[in-house]
Amino acid sequence: MDLYIVFGDTMVVEEKEYKVTGMTCANCALSIERALKKVDGVEQAVVNLSLESATVKFDSDKADPKDLVKAIEKAGYGVAADTVRLKVAGMTCANCVTAVEKALNKVKGVTKVTVNLATETAYVEFEHGKVTVDDLKRAVAKAGYKVLEEESGLSPLQMEIGRNKILLAISIVLTIPVFLGGMRMYLPFIPEILENHYLQFVLTTPVQFGVGYRFYIGSFRALRNRMANMDVLVALGTSAAYFYSVAVMLDPALGEMVYFETASLLITFIILGKLLEAMAKGRTSEAIKKLMGLQAKSAHVVRDGKELEVLIEEVQVGDMVAVRPGEKIPVDGVVKDGTSEVDESMITGESIPVRKRAGDNVIGATINKNGLLRFEAKKIGKDTVLAQIIRLVEEAQGSKAPIQRYADRVSAWFVPMVVSLALIAFLFWFFVGSRFWDVGPNGPFIFSLITMVAVLVIACPCALGLATPTAIMVGTGKGAEYGILIKGGEPLETVLDVNAVVLDKTGTITKGQPEVTALVPVKGTDEKELLRLAASLEAGSEHHIAEALVKHAKATDLALAKVDGFEALPGKGVVGKVEGKAIAVGNARMMDERKVDLSALKDERERLEAEANTVVFVALEGKAIGLLAVADAPKPTSKAAIKRLKDTGLKVIMMTGDNERTAKAIAKKVGIDEVLSEVLPEDKAQEVRKLQKKGLKVAMVGDGINDAPALAQAEVGIAMSSGTDVAAEAGDIVLMRNDLMDVPASIELSRRTMGKIKQNMFWALFYNVIGIPIAMGILYPGFGIQLPPALAAFAMAMSSVSVVSNSLLLKLYKVREG
């Protein structure tokens, strides 16, 4: 860190170095430098391509390191950072999440923290070499929570379920006699001994301080962090009932009634609610469990000429792996021998088996259907497609939607407000209410105390804390089942604002593989002969049109002839001799230069070009013998997908490098009205910016490689994947099936998930808006209804369960059927 004196003021200039991913050339480095220099406060930015690093000097009073990272990412590149996932035990509500986040953010070198209550995890990004995992664990421990080791057999959620089952059983056994003792005045047949205050004290104390120990510890932890959480409310409410009862037991002159059963029932119901909540949360994370369950346990590898069965962890890159019919493919690789069909539905969501032969990629966890395959292992462990999917889903489920910030702000002041309302209710009924209304035989103090306890226990920020993460867990998990990988809460929320979808043409709307669509020979020339001569000559070219011609010829079992004197004429075509005859294959300009008469093919040429075909002419010994039309055909589902997008009110735009005539022809075929044509790859991001300046919120759909800058520039980037390329780092949403129908499906799933989040937040707030006034006694003057604390505790517990259950309804949504 350097200090500069500027006009008498001290300016703190800090220097940071970032490892940048995705750079391929000097222009990439210049783009990043320009993006960094635009950040207010940046004094100097130097990007080194060979070192893949960016060194930035900036005024730390004006620029935040997080702004620098965002600038790099917005330019379409990534910033390498160390990331760790911590299992955090002891969190009970949204305020606990805030406490852990604050503690981790205070650690110098930490750049991003996301703590999730539903998954009980903390994702921490930090600068390499600046922070250790032990530093992070100490910060969490200092805040009063515990970090569990990843290798521990049970997850925090499983441990909580087991612990709550034991605590609930103990609490029920001890509470039932106390509850029956409190009911004896209404049910005389209950044994008199159960009404004894000392017996009730003996039975209640283990519940209050044993089973309820967690609430006192949680309260201490929260107050030490200068916060108040659910534990504070529960501890205050149950302690008020318990200690008043102890006072009456020791000095009967203070009153006749004790409320040991109230304290016991409160804790019992809250533990029951926590158990039900934990079990429901477990169902929201089933997607991860299913994905992990897909992994093969062993593999058959060939070593030293012998086939051995080894554990999946022992497979090495380069191993030759054998997979028999019905077996799972253990790791990712390339087929070397054999032919079979492979069920890839568990990865891509595609139900139709895929034909595999030598040279094809295979994905770990898919199922070999009917033939013996031998393949070379290329990716193992954390590098496999399945492992990457699991990582993406875990990160998505551990993320927050921006809307959660609202819930966090509410939770921060919620508990102090509830405590204040509880005191107001007590004072009102004790000093004012009891003068105007009959508060019963127990007197104003008992009535006021019961009212205060009910207010304390009915209000809890738990439901607010669970509103967002549970819906995200179910929504992203549901998407993963269908090969739609949504990278967290932010894309989910941003999709709501999207009103325009920009579709790249090649590989997105179209198949990305040019095909021969027509053969038009002149009179006296055979179709097959026309194709054989053209394909024979084009076999020496690497152009994509040549590839299409050769592929088509091979598909029709034509034997290609030997070529002499081959020559490629860039931008025109190719020439050479086939079987001693001069052949030319190329565009109209090339034929004009060679004085080849094309008049006989004029009408067919115009018709085919109007239908978005690229026309190639063939001349034999200086005379035209026909033409071939090549086109990159739209995918079968493209038209239906675009209609579905338009039906949901979205503006659909196609962007392509093709000429205007060809582009409009393709657009007409699939139902797109607006076209951006002749756009160079490097200008795509600029075109997205132009649309944004018009007020459009853009979702850009592309292949995730050439379109990376445009995907990053758009509000939401949707990357079409090949099924084996999961990373697609520039995309906010990755579509594993490479099917355009998944674009509207992903947008609709995102909208439904956000709908659930909003429903959850509404009901969490509405419940408190209704419940707190009832607990304060608003119904007592007109209806004589006072809310019993035990019922308040049960209602509070059920509010969290209802929020999680509402999120689970997303599981019923059919992603592709709409």
Side-chain angles (χ1 to χ4, degrees):
M1 184 180 291
D2 302 314
L3 288 177
Y4 290 92
I5 307 298
V6 182
F7 301 112
D9 295 324
T10 302
M11 180 173 71
V12 180
V13 176
E14 192 171 339
E15 182 177 300
K16 282 190 177 292
E17 182 179 338
Y18 297 96
K19 286 289 181 182
V20 181
T21 60
M23 291 193 292
T24 58
C25 64
N27 283 340
C28 296
L30 290 173
S31 297
I32 296 168
E33 283 185 2
R34 282 197 295 266
L36 286 168
K37 286 174 181 176
K38 287 179 183 178
V39 178
D40 186 35
V42 170
E43 302 292 323
Q44 184 183 27
V46 178
V47 179
N48 189 308
L49 176 63
S50 59
L51 296 176
E52 295 185 316
S53 68
T55 304
V56 190
K57 286 185 178 181
F58 61 97
D59 182 350
S60 58
D61 290 333
K62 292 182 179 180
D64 189 290
K66 293 174 184 176
D67 296 330
L68 305 179
V69 173
K70 286 180 182 177
I72 296 172
E73 291 174 343
K74 194 172 181 181
Y77 304 89
V79 177
D82 286 344
T83 305
V84 67
R85 185 182 71 155
L86 304 175
K87 290 183 178 181
V88 182
M91 296 189 294
T92 58
C93 69
N95 286 348
C96 297
V97 170
T98 303
V100 175
E101 284 185 345
K102 282 184 176 179
L104 288 168
N105 272 313
K106 285 179 182 177
V107 179
K108 193 170 184 181
V110 168
T111 56
K112 184 179 179 182
V113 178
T114 303
V115 179
N116 189 297
L117 177 63
T119 59
E120 295 181 305
T121 55
Y123 284 90
V124 189
E125 287 185 11
F126 52 94
E127 296 176 40
H128 181 73
K130 297 279 185 75
V131 184
T132 66
V133 175
D134 286 340
D135 294 333
L136 302 176
K137 289 180 178 179
R138 280 193 291 270
V140 173
K142 191 175 179 181
Y145 301 88
K146 184 179 180 182
V147 176
L148 300 179
E149 296 300 324
E150 284 288 343
E151 59 268 17
S152 61
L154 296 176
S155 70
L157 191 60
Q158 291 171 318
M159 293 175 66
E160 182 184 350
I161 291 172
R163 183 171 60 247
N164 283 340
K165 284 181 178 179
I166 295 170
L167 292 175
L168 181 63
I170 294 170
S171 192
I172 288 174
V173 169
L174 296 174
T175 297
I176 288 176
V178 180
F179 171 70
L180 292 175
M183 296 298 292
R184 190 174 182 276
M185 66 173 67
Y186 308 107
L187 303 171
F189 59 83
I190 293 174
E192 184 178 352
I193 184 65
L194 297 181
E195 200 174 16
N196 183 278
H197 293 176
Y198 287 94
L199 176 62
Q200 292 186 351
F201 166 75
V202 169
L203 293 173
T204 301
T205 299
V207 177
Q208 182 70 37
F209 300 108
V211 178
Y213 172 78
R214 59 187 288 178
F215 303 119
Y216 287 102
I217 290 297
S219 299
F220 172 75
R221 212 159 41 202
L223 295 173
R224 187 178 66 181
N225 291 318
R226 297 179 181 178
M227 298 185 67
N229 61 5
M230 179 208 81
D231 294 327
V232 173
L233 297 178
V234 176
L236 282 173
T238 58
S239 295
Y242 175 83
F243 286 110
Y244 172 76
S245 300
V246 171
V248 170
M249 178 188 73
L250 297 176
D251 185 0
L254 294 174
E256 297 179 3
M257 297 287 293
V258 293
Y259 292 90
F260 286 119
E261 83 282 359
T262 297
S264 292
L265 284 170
L266 286 176
I267 290 173
T268 301
F269 279 136
I270 291 168
I271 294 295
L272 172 63
K274 284 293 173 188
L275 174 60
L276 294 175
E277 177 189 315
M279 293 171 71
K281 283 196 294 185
R283 290 185 58 204
T284 66
S285 59
E286 284 177 358
I288 292 289
K289 295 174 188 173
K290 286 181 181 177
L291 287 170
M292 296 185 78
L294 294 176
Q295 294 171 316
K297 302 295 185 291
S298 62
H300 297 282
V301 300
V302 179
R303 291 176 182 167
D304 299 325
K306 295 181 181 179
E307 186 176 302
L308 306 171
E309 184 173 2
V310 300
L311 293 174
I312 190 72
E313 294 83 7
E314 296 175 21
V315 178
Q316 299 174 7
V317 173
D319 273 344
M320 190 61 65
V321 183
V323 187
R324 295 172 177 80
E327 291 184 341
K328 282 185 180 179
I329 293 172
V331 295
D332 299 358
V334 177
V335 176
K336 294 298 181 183
D337 181 45
T339 302
S340 182
E341 290 187 331
V342 175
D343 179 1
E344 296 184 342
S345 60
M346 63 284 298
I347 299 295
T348 65
E350 177 57 70
S351 58
I352 301 173
V354 182
R355 189 78 172 168
K356 299 290 182 181
R357 54 177 64 88
D360 290 338
N361 293 313
V362 288
I363 306 171
T366 56
I367 299 174
N368 183 27
K369 299 291 286 185
N370 50 28
L372 175 65
L373 289 177
R374 290 186 176 87
F375 70 93
E376 182 183 349
K378 292 293 186 181
K379 293 181 180 179
I380 61 173
K382 63 182 177 61
D383 296 323
T384 63
V385 168
L386 180 62
Q388 291 180 63
I389 291 175
I390 291 172
R391 177 182 62 81
L392 282 178
V393 175
E394 283 181 337
E395 289 178 358
Q397 294 190 341
S399 69
K400 282 187 178 182
I403 196 173
Q404 179 64 28
R405 289 195 292 265
Y406 170 73
D408 292 343
R409 286 197 300 269
V410 171
S411 298
W413 55 260
F414 188 78
V415 174
M417 182 195 75
V418 170
V419 173
S420 300
L421 290 175
L423 289 172
I424 290 170
F426 178 89
L427 295 172
F428 173 81
W429 285 107
F430 187 75
F431 291 107
V432 181
S434 58
R435 292 173 179 265
F436 296 95
W437 295 283
D438 179 11
V439 294
N442 297 320
F445 180 79
I446 297 300
F447 186 93
S448 302
L449 178 67
I450 294 299
T451 301
M452 182 182 75
V453 172
V455 174
L456 287 171
V457 297
I458 199 171
C460 175
C462 291
L464 269 177
L466 292 168
T468 299
T470 52
I472 288 176
M473 287 173 71
V474 178
T476 54
K478 188 73 177 178
E481 291 178 26
Y482 289 86
I484 298 171
L485 305 181
I486 303 171
K487 296 183 179 179
E490 191 163 347
L492 282 171
E493 186 167 340
T494 308
V495 163
L496 290 181
D497 299 324
V498 166
N499 51 24
V501 179
V502 177
L503 303 172
D504 177 53
K505 181 184 80 71
T506 306
T508 301
I509 295 174
T510 64
K511 297 175 181 177
Q513 300 170 340
E515 297 176 346
V516 175
T517 55
L519 294 169
V520 182
V522 297
K523 191 174 182 180
T525 303
D526 180 68
E527 250 186 39
K528 288 187 176 180
E529 181 65 8
L530 173 68
L531 177 61
R532 186 182 75 87
L533 291 173
S536 296
L537 185 59
E538 290 281 19
S541 172
E542 294 180 353
H543 196 276
H544 64 276
I545 291 178
E547 185 181 346
L549 293 176
V550 173
K551 183 179 178 182
H552 191 68
K554 289 181 177 179
T556 52
D557 295 324
L558 291 178
L560 301 184
K562 183 182 176 183
V563 176
D564 296 313
F566 174 84
E567 183 182 357
L569 305 174
K572 298 175 184 178
V574 293
V575 295
K577 287 191 175 183
V578 177
E579 298 173 340
K581 298 176 182 178
I583 303 291
V585 180
N587 56 27
R589 185 171 63 171
M590 174 178 155
M591 296 299 162
D592 288 342
E593 290 176 356
R594 293 177 173 269
K595 310 296 183 186
V596 177
D597 182 13
L598 301 176
S599 57
L601 299 168
K602 180 183 176 185
D603 291 342
E604 285 298 312
R605 170 194 174 183
E606 290 178 353
R607 178 182 68 82
L608 289 167
E609 285 185 342
E611 294 174 357
N613 292 279
T614 298
V615 173
V616 178
F617 299 94
V618 183
L620 172 64
E621 298 290 359
K623 292 184 179 181
I625 61 171
L627 63 79
L628 302 98
V630 178
D632 186 5
K635 295 175 183 175
T637 58
S638 290
K639 188 172 182 178
I642 289 162
K643 182 180 184 302
R644 189 165 162 182
L645 287 169
K646 292 168 79 172
D647 287 345
T648 58
L650 294 167
K651 183 183 184 73
V652 182
I653 303 164
M654 186 179 83
M655 183 156 58
T656 177
D658 285 345
N659 64 68
E660 185 177 0
R661 185 173 170 181
T662 303
K664 285 186 174 179
I666 287 285
K668 186 178 180 181
K669 279 186 178 182
V670 295
I672 294 177
D673 303 317
E674 188 169 341
V675 177
L676 301 173
S677 58
E678 300 181 33
V679 180
L680 297 174
E682 59 267 28
D683 294 333
K684 289 182 178 180
Q686 181 62 33
E687 291 296 328
V688 171
R689 275 193 288 272
K690 288 179 182 177
L691 294 172
Q692 290 169 330
K693 285 178 181 177
K694 293 178 182 178
L696 295 176
K697 301 293 184 181
V698 179
M700 173 70 196
V701 186
D703 61 16
I705 303 168
N706 297 329
D707 302 311
L711 290 170
Q713 175 63 38
E715 275 75 14
V716 177
I718 301 177
M720 306 286 283
S721 170
S722 64
T724 57
D725 173 30
V726 182
E729 291 297 339
D732 300 302
I733 299 173
V734 180
L735 307 180
M736 295 294 293
R737 285 203 318 168
N738 205 18
D739 185 341
L740 202 61
M741 280 300 289
D742 285 345
V743 174
S746 65
I747 291 174
E748 288 166 17
L749 176 61
S750 299
R751 288 176 171 178
R752 283 181 178 267
T753 303
M754 281 306 301
K756 283 296 176 190
I757 290 173
K758 291 183 175 181
Q759 289 172 22
N760 288 346
M761 293 188 72
F762 170 79
W763 286 114
L765 290 170
F766 181 77
Y767 158 82
N768 282 294
V769 168
I770 296 298
I772 291 175
I774 293 174
M776 292 179 73
I778 196 172
L779 298 180
Y780 191 79
F783 303 95
I785 296 175
Q786 183 186 28
L787 186 66
L791 182 58
F794 183 76
M796 181 271 285
M798 291 303 101
S799 69
S800 295
V801 176
S802 65
V803 162
V804 179
S805 300
N806 186 47
S807 296
L808 285 169
L809 291 176
L810 268 174
K811 286 178 173 284
L812 303 177
Y813 172 56
K814 297 186 184 304
V815 172
R816 293 212 175 95
E817 290 75 14

